[in-house]
Amino acid sequence: MRILLTGSSGWLGSSLAPRLRALGHEVTGLDPAPSAETRIVGSIADRELVMRVVAENRIEAIIHSGALHKPNIENHGNSEFVATNVQGTLNLLDAAVTAGVQRFVMTSTTSLMISQAIRDGFIGGARKAAWLTETMLPEPRNIYGVTKLSAEHLCRLYHLRHGLPVIILRTARFFPEADDMAHAIEQTDANTKVNELLFRRLTVEDAAEAHVVALDKVRQLGFDTFIVSAPTPFQPDDCAALIMDAPSVVARYFPEFPGLYARKGWTMFSSIDRVYDASRVRDRLGFVCKTSFADVLAEL
């Protein structure tokens, strides 16, 4: 299959491109930054470039993982986010429809699901963790979330108007940078990332594999949106306790964890404010992350 991969120089693109080629696909990488995986250096905000690349390379599928991300808020204006994340997505959708592309997979983010109330730990006026599924109505709290949600709506519109098969993957955290969560201050970076596998993280390898599966299933499903995160052991009934005393909840599911953590000099977050439920991607797409919190404990 001839695939256009946007964001090919990024953390996900650099992992995904070799995986696609190993499966026999012809990958055209497009990214503003040059890299070994990027054949065309340029921005998806450049409409003429996008239309030309899709047509000249006879693209059959688009995996759209290119975007300005949350860390870019510090040095990019709102208009730049709109140009890349919204107009750039629109350019790709128009190019797909014009060229008759029949597979479109977009990398979105669970970040757009986090309102200020959820971040503050108040759900319906009560202090508890948020249990997050695809059925909730997002209320993004920053320009990154707003533009990614807008891009999702464009994808839905193009499916409805043009019949374009689209799968949107709302991926949890998989980036390598250090965490910015307030309650992670006491943990090392490795400790923090392992803790997050309980409720809001996956490996970049799992993120890449989710895109491969979505590419395979998109024409069958037509349109869908999925949360992609490592499987959580928690249940909705745990949400009140998670916000108040997360270690005790984790110990109920993993009695061995306190001893294993003590030997590593690690600690668990005192409070967990959200849980991403990835059961729908398991049930509808048949995808489950290979690396979970339980797997890390087994290695310890």
Side-chain angles (χ1 to χ4, degrees), residues 43-57:
S43 171
I44 56 174
D46 184 339
R47 183 176 180 82
E48 182 180 342
L49 173 65
V50 169
M51 300 297 286
R52 185 173 69 250
V53 167
V54 171
E56 291 181 353
N57 291 275

Side-chain angles (χ1 to χ4, degrees), residues 9-32:
S9 297
W11 182 237
L12 174 61
S14 297
S15 179
L16 181 53
R19 175 84 175 99
L20 292 169
R21 284 199 304 273
L23 293 170
H25 299 301
E26 180 182 327
V27 181
T28 298
L30 171 63
D31 197 289

Side-chain angles (χ1 to χ4, degrees), residues 175-197:
F175 52 73
E177 291 85 7
D179 200 291
D180 64 356
M181 296 178 68
H183 64 212
I185 294 173
E186 301 298 326
Q187 283 78 26
T188 64
D189 185 54
N191 183 178
T192 294
K193 286 178 167 58
V194 171
N195 287 357
E196 288 186 330
L197 284 171

Side-chain angles (χ1 to χ4, degrees), residues 181-225:
M181 296 178 68
H183 64 212
I185 294 173
E186 301 298 326
Q187 283 78 26
T188 64
D189 185 54
N191 183 178
T192 294
K193 286 178 167 58
V194 171
N195 287 357
E196 288 186 330
L197 284 171
L198 284 162
F199 64 104
R200 61 171 289 173
R201 181 169 284 276
L202 71 163
T203 66
V204 68
E205 293 81 9
D206 280 331
E209 183 61 23
H211 286 72
V212 171
V213 174
L215 185 69
D216 182 56
K217 298 286 184 66
V218 63
R219 292 191 68 181
Q220 174 187 334
L221 295 182
F223 181 87
D224 219 327
T225 301

